[in-house]
Amino acid sequence: MTTATPRTDSPRTEEHRPDESGPTQPRQNPPTFLNDPYPTLARMRESAPVSVLHGDGGLRLWIIPRYDDVRAALSDRRFAQDARRAQALADSRFEGVNLGTDITHMLSSDPPDHTRLRRVVQAAFSRKRVEAMRPMVERITLELLDGLDAAAAHRTTLTTTATATVDLVRDFAFPLPILVVCELLGFPPEDRDLYRNWSTAIVTHEGDHAAFRRAVQEMGSYVLAIADRRIRRNDRPADLLTELLAARERGELTDDEIVGMVALLLIGGHETTVNLLGTSCLALLRDPGQAAWLRADPTRMPGAVEEFLRYDSPICMATTRFTTEPVDVGGVEIPQDEFVLLSLGAANRDPARFQDPDRLVLDRQDAGHLAFGGGIHRCLGALLGKLETEIALAALLAHYPGMTLACQEHDLRWRNTMMLRGLEALPVALRR
């Protein structure tokens, strides 16, 4: 959730090579980066172990695109993530750069704070606890499918056409993970559009700092109001917010940290799954043969989800880090106090690690994608996100075996951020 604000329509890169000639001249990338970032990422990966992106306010971001380098950097403590130190560094060198330090959470913290914060919630995402959520995820999925059926029937009546069109992101991929998070936290599911609006303002603000800060303030006030109401009423349901409030009473969390934890769960807990569901469905719509292969044997789904994660990683760039000392990456020295992006999307398409990486292979044997990051900051909700995706895709394939894309693929709109990889909408025609 710690985000910088580089331009995403046509980012400018300088490629750094380990020789005395220095960087090449800036080269314009195609304006379709958001639609398909992989050609640009491939050029970066092939050209040099490190490239440099220049964003708004003069911000310089060093991008690491190769699998081995990204994997090593994910566990390298010299790439720090302390957001307040990062913001102070940015303020001293650049103008008007917002790194998202208004929220305190695990992804924007280094040990010992990171260790303390993660310890409070890690039990809630253990394999046993996540597997216990399976019936809840299945129930929500079936309820959403009923909703799709009702919407399809209504729209068919209105349009007098044989096949109804629905937006699979709006009507299915978004509500599923956000409803799961609502049950996990004990938050009102009817407020899910609020959560989505805050999430969009925070992760895709693209220089609109006022909208970012307003979303952070509104979310903070909302979370603390729910917490205060529970304390006044002595209301202690068996959910994660109750556990967070108990940790506050033990002196393990502050109010700001509770807000940050909830924000991370509300935003991080649904963004990855929304994006993954959207891109996975699109991949299957492109290739009905692979959809039929999955439908024929649902036990193949866990392996397929791992491949969806690799093929179109829902997080294209990991959260911004900065160097605490000079770091050598493939013969290129990144100086101290420089901002760094680790390209998970580029790493997961690296031909040095994966055979035929630009092809979706649902029974791929060369596992090891980095879609959930690595090291101490590896995504805490990885198991839950995979469970949600496995259940949702299996249900969709069984329920709508004839589903097709209801627009030209080039007309699809993608999230306006280089950090995430996700669809704004996915119009589909529902066919049984």
Side-chain angles (χ1 to χ4, degrees):
M1 283 172 53
T2 301
T3 58
T5 57
R7 281 184 286 272
T8 57
D9 53 349
S10 182
R12 294 178 289 120
T13 63
E14 296 177 353
E15 294 169 356
H16 286 245
R17 302 174 183 274
D19 57 31
E20 296 181 357
S21 61
T24 63
Q25 291 299 310
R27 181 178 63 188
Q28 290 288 337
N29 291 323
T32 57
F33 180 86
L34 290 179
N35 293 354
D36 184 7
Y38 296 107
T40 299
L41 296 176
R43 287 194 296 271
M44 287 184 181
R45 193 177 53 236
E46 294 162 5
S47 300
V50 181
S51 295
V52 176
L53 180 93
H54 290 277
D56 295 334
L59 178 67
R60 183 169 61 234
L61 292 163
W62 299 66
I63 300 178
I64 300 177
R66 296 177 180 173
Y67 181 93
D68 287 344
D69 295 332
V70 170
R71 184 180 180 185
L74 286 166
S75 300
D76 192 331
R77 297 291 182 88
R78 295 175 296 176
F79 294 101
Q81 289 193 236
D82 186 304
R84 288 188 171 85
R85 288 173 60 197
Q87 189 64 58
L89 179 59
D91 291 342
S92 70
R93 298 173 57 192
F94 308 112
E95 181 179 350
V97 171
N98 175 25
L99 294 176
T101 55
D102 304 67
I103 308 176
T104 302
H105 53 79
M106 290 179 292
L107 285 183
S108 64
S109 304
D110 291 321
D113 285 339
H114 173 272
T115 307
R116 172 177 55 83
L117 293 171
R118 192 174 180 106
R119 185 185 300 121
V120 171
V121 293
Q122 63 186 1
F125 297 93
S126 68
R127 188 173 298 276
K128 182 179 180 180
R129 292 273 291 268
V130 168
E131 185 57 34
M133 297 180 203
R134 181 179 292 273
M136 179 253 288
V137 176
E138 290 174 340
R139 170 178 55 79
I140 292 173
T141 299
L142 291 177
E143 289 171 355
L144 290 172
L145 288 177
D146 288 343
L148 286 179
D149 287 340
H154 178 66
R155 289 166 191 164
T156 299
T157 301
L158 291 179
T159 60
T160 66
T161 59
T163 304
T165 298
V166 299
D167 177 358
L168 209 58
V169 170
R170 180 193 62 205
D171 298 331
F172 187 78
F174 160 65
L176 172 59
I178 202 66
L179 288 172
V180 171
V181 172
C182 285
E183 292 217 16
L184 187 64
L185 286 166
F187 273 29
E190 60 270 20
D191 289 344
R192 64 194 190 208
D193 288 337
L194 270 180
Y195 312 146
R196 182 64 162 176
N197 292 339
W198 290 330
S199 177
T200 298
I202 289 170
V203 302
T204 66
H205 57 91
E206 297 304 330
D208 189 349
H209 304 324
F212 174 89
R213 291 193 171 94
R214 183 167 57 252
V216 171
Q217 291 168 358
E218 288 177 0
M219 181 180 287
S221 298
Y222 177 93
V223 171
L224 292 179
I226 291 178
D228 289 345
R229 186 160 59 248
R230 286 197 181 186
I231 295 297
R232 289 197 310 271
R233 297 174 179 175
N234 195 27
D235 185 15
R236 303 292 178 109
D239 56 40
L240 189 52
L241 181 58
T242 293
E243 294 180 29
L244 296 178
L245 293 175
R248 183 178 66 176
E249 292 173 0
R250 296 192 301 267
E252 297 175 8
L253 290 177
T254 66
D255 280 356
D256 285 346
E257 289 168 343
I258 287 179
V259 170
M261 193 74 74
V262 171
L264 184 61
L265 295 171
L266 279 175
I267 298 174
H270 87 269
E271 282 285 356
T272 299
T273 306
V274 172
N275 295 340
L276 177 59
L277 278 173
T279 56
S280 301
C281 287
L282 177 59
L284 293 174
L285 291 168
R286 289 186 186 125
D287 192 339
Q290 295 207 67
W293 180 83
L294 264 183
R295 191 182 302 110
D297 185 356
T299 64
R300 296 166 172 163
M301 188 61 74
V305 169
E306 298 292 348
E307 174 65 353
F308 288 131
L309 283 160
R310 183 206 66 82
Y311 179 74
D312 218 354
S313 302
I315 299 176
C316 189
M317 300 282 182
T319 49
T320 311
R321 290 155 164 81
F322 64 96
T323 51
T324 58
E325 61 181 82
V327 181
D328 182 277
V329 177
V332 175
E333 182 179 280
I334 303 178
Q336 181 177 335
D337 294 338
E338 292 290 330
F339 294 103
V340 177
L341 291 177
L342 309 181
S343 180
L344 306 181
N348 284 336
R349 295 280 190 106
D350 189 343
R353 175 60 181 81
F354 300 101
Q355 185 177 2
D356 201 4
D358 292 321
R359 188 165 68 92
L360 184 71
V361 181
L362 294 184
D363 58 348
R364 181 178 290 275
Q365 300 303 307
D366 47 346
H369 67 76
L370 302 175
F372 289 117
I376 63 171
H377 290 288
R378 189 178 191 278
C379 178
L380 186 66
L383 291 175
L384 179 57
K386 288 193 286 188
L387 177 72
E388 292 168 338
T389 306
E390 290 169 17
I391 291 171
L393 289 179
L396 277 174
L397 287 172
H399 209 69
Y400 300 113
M403 184 171 63
T404 57
L405 189 63
C407 70
Q408 296 297 314
E409 188 169 338
H410 60 73
D411 290 329
L412 292 172
R413 293 176 293 111
W414 293 83
R415 303 292 300 278
N416 186 31
T417 169
M418 66 177 289
M419 310 294 282
L420 303 177
R421 173 73 176 155
L423 288 158
E424 288 281 359
L426 183 60
V428 298
L430 298 179
R431 294 184 175 92
R432 298 257 182 203

